[in-house]
Amino acid sequence: MSLSAHYIVSCRTDGWFIGLEGERYGPFPNGQVGALIAAVQAANHAGKDGHDARVLLRTAKGVTAIVWVFGTDSYPSPWVEDLHRIALLPRRERARAPVPPPPFRGLDVMTPDAAMAGLA
């Protein structure tokens, strides 16, 4: 049985954060883009260490969906590469750049309570 490492990216009033095992990390200077990049990188490392690693994104409506899974999705993921290119833009250009949505898995949409409990 492997340990789970579920990184939950969410927005609060003071910025974008990553939640993991009851701890909150952030805010990230590049907002949602920076938080998603960091979460996928951390999940990839956790997956290499034998954890059931995945990244979840919580929407403003409280719905949480899986956006990246170690062993299923490529690393670096094509959409993460797009986010990385946006993060490298100067601040003014970055603010105007459209953020490509991560690929939600329709059947993997989770309730906030299930996501926080680490259920998938």
Side-chain angles (χ1 to χ4, degrees):
M1 181 176 178
S2 66
L3 299 171
S4 64
H6 297 176
Y7 298 83
I8 303 170
V9 175
S10 62
C11 185
R12 300 176 57 90
T13 56
D14 50 347
W16 283 89
F17 292 83
I18 297 174
L20 175 68
E21 297 180 2
E23 296 292 324
R24 188 173 61 203
Y25 303 93
F28 286 83
N30 288 330
Q32 179 185 15
V33 170
L36 283 168
I37 290 170
V40 170
Q41 289 173 341
N44 186 59
H45 289 294
K48 288 180 183 178
D49 289 339
H51 296 274
D52 167 26
R54 55 190 66 207
V55 175
L56 302 102
L57 179 63
R58 180 170 296 142
T59 67
K61 294 181 180 181
V63 176
T64 303
I66 298 170
V67 296
W68 189 88
V69 178
F70 179 81
T72 301
D73 296 312
S74 64
Y75 181 82
S77 174
W79 64 267
V80 172
E81 287 297 308
D82 291 340
L83 294 177
H84 188 65
R85 280 191 285 282
I86 292 169
L88 295 175
L89 293 173
R91 187 177 203 157
R92 284 186 177 188
E93 291 178 41
R94 186 174 60 231
R96 290 188 293 256
V99 176
F104 287 102
R105 290 174 175 75
L107 298 176
D108 292 330
V109 173
M110 299 168 52
T111 64
D113 292 336
M116 290 306 293
L119 303 175

